[in-house]
Amino acid sequence: MKILDEIANYFKEIGEIALFAKRFFKEAFKRPFERKEFIRQCFVIGYNSLFLVVVTGFIMGLVLTLQVRPTMQEFGAESFMPAMVGISIVREIGPVITALICAGKIGSSIGAELGSMKVTEQIDAMEVSGTNPFKYLVVTRIWATVFMLPMLVIAADAVGLFGSFLVENVKGAVSFKLFFNQVFENLSYGDLFPATIKSFFFGFVIGLVGCYKGYNSDKGTEGVGRAANSAVVLASLLLFIVDFIAVFIADIFYEI
Amino acid sequence: MSKEKSRTTRLGIFVTLATIIFIIVVYNIGNKQSLFGSTFKITSVFNNVNGLQKGNNVRYSGINVGTVDNISFLSDSTLRVIMTLDKKIQPFLKKNAIASIGTDGLVGNMIVNISPGSGTDQVVEDGDQISSYTRIEAENMLNTLGQTTDNIALLTLNLLEIAEKINSGEGSLFRLINDSIMATDLKRAVSNLRITTQNINTLSSQFRSSIEEVVQGKGVLGYLLHDTTFEGQLNQLYSNLDTLITTRTTPILNNLERSSLDIAVTTNKLKNIIQDLNLNHGLTGKLLYDTAAAEDLIQILDNLNQGTNRFNQNMEALKHNFLFRKYFKKQEKQLKKFDKPPASSD
Amino acid sequence: MDITKPYRTTKTPLIEIYGLRKSFGSNEVLKGFDLLLNPNENLVILGKSGSGKSVLIKCLVGLVDVDEGKVIVLGKSIPDLNQKELDYIRTEVGFLFQGSALYDSMTVRENLQFPLRRHPERMQHFNEEKLVREALRSVGLEYAIDLMPAELSGGMKRRVALARMLILQPKIILYDEPTSGLDPITANEIIQLILRIQRDYNAASLIITHDMDCARVISNRMIILQDGINYAEGTYTELSKSTDPKVKAFFKEVQPISL
């Protein structure tokens, strides 16, 4: 019985998120657009996560190259390193790692912020002062994550490739020009565009889940913590599901 | 307010940088696929495109200059390949250029190679068709090489048989050695056989050098022959020949001290045959570019085989007919000698 | 009726509630509550925690949907209004939230500007900055204009919240536990401020509280909300003399526990 309840709750939550998403799309394109708040959220979400994402991306490129290099060397295929690292970072590792980091940083902060606003009646206060809080808080945040995540992914990709180049340069004496020439030589639009489109959806998932959890948080400080925590967990899970679907669709449109 | 402004500015810088990076990447990828900048199209007709696909690179003298735009059937056995090329190379591409399909490395993608034609001709124009050249496929090449190897193995076997037959002829030859009169003749014969051996060596080195010509030959055959395993096989072959000559022939020479001038003659004939083959068919790397040359190679090797057979036959003839004939002749002579003194004493 | 023209009358009640019912799941909080708020009146609603006081005033501004009954504010039936009309009514009704509900991410100035941003018609003759400073001056916090809410004390927050509510010059002010979480001295300051606002702005107030001192000082009339209905009604003195045990319970002095 308890398990049945849990299953029922699970589907209920999926339904609620779907309704929340529907409400977002209904309000997302309606005027007035909260431009100032959107820019502020872009700053908070995009710019303030930049350092974290860039550092992670750099280490990611560094470590990936260091780990894969010996194996490639065994096959005498070190010259494939830039191509391999380039494709794996651009296609998969860059977007997914960045999205997971952002789910942790942005998802939890949105969840906690909206949760505490809900608990302290700030959302009600907004409503009575004639501002649609859904538009002001949720729509702007989701738009901000949708637009900022691809930017962060690009930054992480660029820095990750630079980290990979440093390893190649030190260990294999590969010049900057050769490294990036090889990277671009082996990238195609079939690698870049699905990854970029995927990033938009990753941003949407992080924003949507963070806002949903915060906006529907329970009363009390405990509820705020729970909202932040479950936002991260659910967002991370959904990211992988979206990634799977994205790869699936990309395979249909772009033959590998 | 100023705090707000600086925030917006920093955000703006970030967004601009990210967008610039994205555009650079898009441009670079697009550039590779000749999507930007002015291009022109040329076509070429092939019988078989060997798995060439749309988007594969086109190289002119080894530099990427464009991509394959489209491949379509022209008739049941001909295919038209349309290539989009960078406008910048147009002044260097003449109408007599030749397109061929090859692979990028041993396991790489298919590519279209355009080689400049010899002499001078007009510069190509948009939509022109250039002639194509169906290159020997790797598979055919390997087949040919397999046959070649078989032939060489057969040759070795034949040489071995000759040696064994010389060995088996020991009995009758041994008797010959006991004959003191035969000694000088045989000594001469041995020296002749030495020359023969040298000739065989020369033959071997000539064979080696013709193979080396093949090895030096450019193109698919070239890299296949550079393959270490194949080279190893060839070396094995050489050493087999060497072993044959040194370990088999020399003991025979040492033990029997026999043979004759005619072996040398026969060997010279064989040598001439091979030289003729070499000269007539010009077994050079250049000719190996086409199937005809490859077939010639097979022909040459067949001839070589036949030559060896002839050598074999000559050896047989030498052993059975000539030697024994001479032996019987000498026997007769001796009988006459034995008969004569009594006669002269009369 | 043209909603852009404020509905003004001294005769009709500003708020009318008839037979209001509201339940959350199986828990019925309001079971037919009636209320009338007349102009220039300070009406206090007394009730225990969880008796549905907060739900009641949230129904008045459309924050909570009504299950049954009539809710009429300034002559408009709240459940029947569309979003635009509701937003307009909300500018006429000030709402002071229990925990002040200041926007944490904004400065005091931005907090005060927030209600103005969707009502440019209110600012036709006024300078936004002037309005903000005026509202802050009326609560005595002009110096805190560039501070963040986190830098303010509980009492200051409450005053900023009052200023934010006053900036649209509402005709009705709803106070949700105005003195909760404050020490008695600060609470008294807030009570004095509410009285002064009442005088200066000439607005009717509906105050929800369980603080008897607050109720005594502010109220013209009191309603005791008990068991989901208006259990008792009257002035402070009338109710304090009531013999009903449930009413008397509100007026009982807290006795030290005898060991």
Side-chain angles (χ1 to χ4, degrees):
Chain A
M1 269 298 128
K2 211 183 165 192
I3 296 166
L4 278 179
D5 278 358
E6 268 173 35
I7 292 168
N9 276 335
Y10 172 76
F11 284 113
K12 192 175 156 241
E13 182 152 43
I14 288 178
E16 279 173 358
I17 292 174
L19 283 176
F20 198 78
K22 188 188 143 201
R23 192 173 167 194
F24 165 75
F25 285 114
K26 224 175 95 188
E27 308 231 12
F29 305 101
K30 261 202 276 177
R31 293 179 67 82
F33 185 68
E34 305 283 356
R35 200 177 59 85
K36 208 173 148 194
E37 175 68 5
F38 169 72
I39 289 168
R40 200 178 76 86
Q41 286 307 323
C42 282
F43 181 83
V44 170
I45 287 161
Y47 188 84
N48 286 354
S49 310
L50 187 61
F51 180 72
L52 185 70
V53 163
V54 157
V55 168
T56 323
F58 183 73
I59 293 169
M60 177 179 83
L62 219 68
V63 169
L64 180 73
T65 313
L66 282 171
Q67 297 275 46
V68 175
R69 207 166 195 286
T71 316
M72 295 291 265
Q73 219 161 13
E74 221 161 274
F75 289 111
E78 305 108 286
S79 61
F80 284 115
M81 278 304 290
M84 198 226 90
V85 171
I87 288 174
S88 49
I89 286 182
V90 169
R91 278 185 89 118
E92 193 62 29
I93 299 173
V96 170
I97 298 275
T98 309
L100 282 178
I101 292 207
C102 289
K105 190 186 182 294
I106 299 166
S108 66
S109 82
I110 290 177
E113 192 188 4
L114 293 195
S116 71
M117 286 186 84
K118 172 88 177 174
V119 166
T120 59
E121 295 181 307
Q122 288 176 49
I123 291 178
D124 284 344
M126 251 172 215
E127 177 120 41
V128 296
S129 56
T131 296
N132 182 346
F134 194 88
K135 249 186 148 70
Y136 188 82
L137 299 172
V138 175
V139 172
T140 54
R141 276 167 177 77
I142 294 180
W143 274 137
T145 52
V146 166
F147 285 112
M148 284 299 113
L149 207 82
M151 303 276 171
L152 290 170
V153 168
I154 290 165
D157 284 357
V159 177
L161 286 175
F162 186 73
S164 174
F165 155 71
L166 284 185
V167 174
E168 282 294 307
N169 187 254
V170 171
K171 292 217 163 190
V174 176
S175 74
F176 184 84
K177 210 166 179 179
L178 176 65
F179 183 88
F180 282 96
N181 195 22
Q182 288 215 12
V183 167
F184 288 129
E185 187 66 31
N186 289 284
L187 279 178
S188 66
Y189 286 148
D191 299 316
L192 185 67
F193 286 144
T196 309
I197 293 164
K198 190 160 83 176
S199 308
F200 281 101
F201 283 96
F202 284 171
F204 178 71
V205 164
I206 293 167
L208 182 78
V209 173
C211 287
Y212 165 77
K213 285 289 181 182
Y215 209 71
N216 293 294
S217 105
D218 302 332
K219 288 266 176 193
T221 38
E222 200 200 343
V224 176
R226 219 173 14 238
N229 182 39
S230 56
V232 176
V233 175
L234 189 62
S236 310
L237 183 71
L238 279 180
L239 283 178
F240 281 107
I241 295 171
V242 168
D243 186 41
F244 172 71
I245 296 167
V247 170
F248 219 65
I249 293 171
D251 273 9
I252 295 167
F253 286 107
Y254 291 91
E255 289 173 60
I256 295 173
Chain B
M1 278 292 130
S2 66
K3 194 179 158 199
E4 184 95 14
K5 229 172 214 169
S6 82
R7 276 177 157 202
T8 316
T9 313
R10 275 183 283 167
L11 176 68
I13 292 167
F14 164 54
V15 171
T16 312
L17 281 178
T19 314
I20 287 171
I21 293 172
F22 186 76
I23 290 168
I24 288 172
V25 173
V26 167
Y27 180 79
N28 270 306
I29 295 172
N31 221 8
K32 190 192 83 193
Q33 295 176 350
S34 313
L35 290 184
F36 304 114
S38 49
T39 57
F40 69 102
K41 280 182 181 168
I42 58 167
T43 62
S44 191
V45 176
F46 293 87
N47 293 329
N48 184 347
V49 293
N50 297 46
L52 187 78
Q53 290 179 322
K54 284 181 202 176
N56 276 135
N57 285 331
V58 177
R59 287 189 188 158
Y60 179 60
S61 301
I63 300 167
N64 280 342
V65 292
T67 52
V68 173
D69 188 49
N70 202 2
I71 301 169
S72 57
F73 272 101
L74 209 61
S75 72
D76 59 347
S77 63
T78 49
L79 293 148
R80 190 194 358 236
V81 175
I82 302 168
M83 292 164 273
T84 308
L85 304 184
D86 193 342
K87 196 99 184 169
K88 275 180 250 168
I89 68 128
Q90 196 172 7
F92 308 104
L93 194 57
K94 304 286 193 296
K95 283 189 171 175
N96 61 359
I98 299 160
S100 64
I101 293 168
T103 46
D104 186 7
L106 201 58
V107 289
N109 289 321
M110 300 307 292
I111 51 168
V112 176
N113 277 310
I114 301 175
S115 347
S118 53
T120 51
D121 204 340
Q122 274 184 298
V123 167
V124 289
E125 278 159 37
D126 195 15
D128 270 1
Q129 181 172 327
I130 60 167
S131 55
S132 73
Y133 175 81
T134 310
R135 176 179 273 197
I136 309 153
E137 290 160 40
E139 209 178 318
N140 289 350
M141 212 67 209
L142 284 168
N143 281 341
T144 311
L145 277 168
Q147 280 174 2
T148 312
T149 318
D150 284 351
N151 288 336
I152 292 166
L154 214 65
L155 181 85
T156 318
L157 209 71
N158 287 338
L159 284 170
L160 203 74
E161 272 174 25
I162 295 160
E164 268 169 2
K165 275 168 186 167
I166 292 169
N167 268 344
S168 66
E170 194 179 64
S172 25
L173 283 166
F174 189 71
R175 267 194 279 170
L176 233 132
I177 298 154
N178 289 339
D179 195 323
S180 52
I181 304 157
M182 284 294 287
T184 46
D185 273 7
L186 280 173
K187 262 177 192 161
R188 212 159 27 127
V190 166
S191 70
N192 283 337
L193 199 63
R194 285 225 172 86
I195 296 161
T196 311
T197 318
Q198 276 171 0
N199 284 336
I200 292 173
N201 274 332
T202 322
L203 164 83
S204 165
S205 72
Q206 271 180 351
F207 180 72
R208 188 196 289 261
S209 68
S210 40
I211 292 294
E212 268 166 2
E213 278 176 328
V214 174
V215 170
Q216 280 158 5
K218 307 284 182 316
V220 182
L221 182 60
Y223 77 69
L224 277 171
L225 283 175
H226 282 301
D227 189 326
T228 43
T229 49
F230 187 73
E231 207 165 55
Q233 281 177 349
L234 277 180
N235 284 335
Q236 189 82 36
L237 201 67
Y238 299 149
S239 67
N240 281 348
L241 280 167
D242 285 342
T243 323
L244 182 87
I245 289 152
T246 53
T247 64
R248 291 285 187 178
T249 320
T250 322
I252 293 164
L253 294 174
N254 293 338
N255 289 338
L256 300 176
E257 296 185 332
R258 49 92 193 99
S259 197
S260 81
L261 187 84
D262 286 284
I263 292 177
V265 176
T266 318
T267 316
N268 270 330
K269 276 180 187 168
L270 175 65
K271 195 181 117 188
N272 286 340
I273 292 164
I274 290 166
Q275 273 176 343
D276 277 350
L277 285 171
N278 265 346
L279 289 170
N280 293 344
H281 295 276
L283 186 67
T284 59
K286 198 187 171 187
L287 262 170
L288 281 172
Y289 273 121
D290 58 25
T291 31
E295 276 160 17
D296 282 346
L297 178 67
I298 300 166
Q299 194 69 48
I300 288 160
L301 286 160
D302 263 335
N303 288 343
L304 191 64
N305 200 4
Q306 282 169 16
T308 319
N309 279 333
R310 231 175 286 166
F311 177 59
N312 189 11
Q313 279 169 9
N314 285 333
M315 289 298 272
E316 290 271 341
L318 168 84
K319 202 172 75 184
H320 292 290
N321 302 334
F322 172 74
L323 263 179
F324 281 85
R325 198 166 21 144
K326 200 164 188 183
Y327 172 71
F328 285 121
K329 261 187 183 172
K330 296 234 164 167
Q331 288 276 54
E332 274 172 20
K333 247 186 185 175
Q334 270 186 333
L335 279 169
K336 274 177 188 171
K337 266 184 184 175
F338 284 124
D339 289 342
K340 266 192 177 172
S344 65
S345 66
D346 284 344
Chain C
M1 190 186 289
D2 182 12
I3 59 147
T4 53
K5 283 201 177 125
Y7 176 73
R8 284 174 192 279
T9 175
T10 49
K11 294 280 195 285
T12 49
L14 297 173
I15 297 174
E16 301 159 72
I17 298 175
Y18 305 110
L20 177 61
R21 283 177 180 273
K22 177 73 193 173
S23 51
F24 294 97
S26 57
N27 177 29
E28 194 169 33
V29 189
L30 297 171
K31 305 167 186 173
F33 186 84
D34 299 322
L35 179 148
L36 280 178
L37 180 70
N38 297 309
N40 299 314
E41 191 179 30
N42 285 353
L43 177 63
V44 169
I45 296 174
L46 276 173
K48 292 191 289 188
S49 299
S51 59
K53 298 170 293 178
S54 292
V55 175
L56 173 70
I57 59 165
K58 280 180 182 171
C59 286
L60 291 172
V61 286
L63 284 175
V64 173
D65 289 330
V66 176
D67 287 351
E68 213 179 286
K70 276 186 173 174
V71 178
I72 298 161
V73 177
L74 297 168
K76 305 266 170 57
S77 173
I78 295 294
D80 304 332
L81 295 180
N82 63 30
Q83 191 62 45
K84 204 179 166 193
E85 292 165 330
L86 192 62
D87 280 345
Y88 184 78
I89 285 290
R90 280 165 175 174
T91 64
E92 303 279 11
V93 181
F95 199 124
L96 184 75
F97 286 89
Q98 201 168 347
S100 305
L102 295 182
Y103 309 127
D104 295 325
S105 55
M106 303 177 199
T107 62
V108 168
R109 185 204 307 274
E110 286 163 336
N111 261 286
L112 265 68
Q113 283 167 345
F114 198 85
L116 297 172
R117 53 197 292 283
R118 286 283 156 249
H119 301 288
E121 77 277 1
R122 288 282 169 135
M123 287 161 50
Q124 273 165 357
H125 310 292
F126 302 100
N127 175 299
E128 188 179 79
E129 178 77 7
K130 201 178 142 204
L131 273 176
V132 168
R133 288 197 176 274
E134 215 164 73
L136 274 177
R137 196 180 300 126
S138 69
V139 296
L141 274 178
E142 215 179 341
Y143 62 89
I145 190 157
D146 285 320
L147 294 180
M148 296 298 283
E151 296 167 300
L152 304 176
S153 71
M156 285 162 86
K157 276 186 193 168
R158 204 61 54 93
R159 284 201 259 172
V160 173
L162 268 172
R164 185 178 67 184
M165 180 196 75
L166 291 171
I167 204 154
L168 288 178
Q169 297 180 317
K171 295 191 184 64
I172 306 166
I173 304 174
L174 309 174
Y175 298 92
D176 190 358
E177 312 260 12
T179 58
S180 75
L182 298 177
D183 61 89
I185 299 163
T186 316
N188 196 44
E189 281 172 20
I190 297 295
I191 291 164
Q192 296 305 320
L193 196 59
I194 290 170
L195 285 171
R196 194 155 60 79
I197 287 162
Q198 164 73 19
R199 194 187 64 227
D200 292 350
Y201 286 80
N202 197 24
S205 305
L206 187 64
I207 301 126
I208 279 173
T209 189
H210 52 241
D211 177 355
M212 287 313 293
D213 287 333
C214 171
R216 180 170 48 81
V217 177
I218 295 176
S219 70
N220 305 128
R221 191 159 64 93
M222 285 167 68
I223 291 177
I224 290 176
L225 174 58
Q226 181 79 31
D227 305 325
I229 53 161
N230 35 352
Y231 190 81
E233 207 173 323
T235 61
Y236 181 83
T237 35
E238 281 166 20
L239 287 176
S240 62
K241 287 170 189 160
S242 167
T243 51
D244 191 300
K246 280 181 179 170
V247 176
K248 275 178 91 173
F250 284 97
F251 293 89
K252 209 182 266 174
E253 288 285 319
V254 180
Q255 299 295 325
I257 299 162
S258 49
L259 294 167

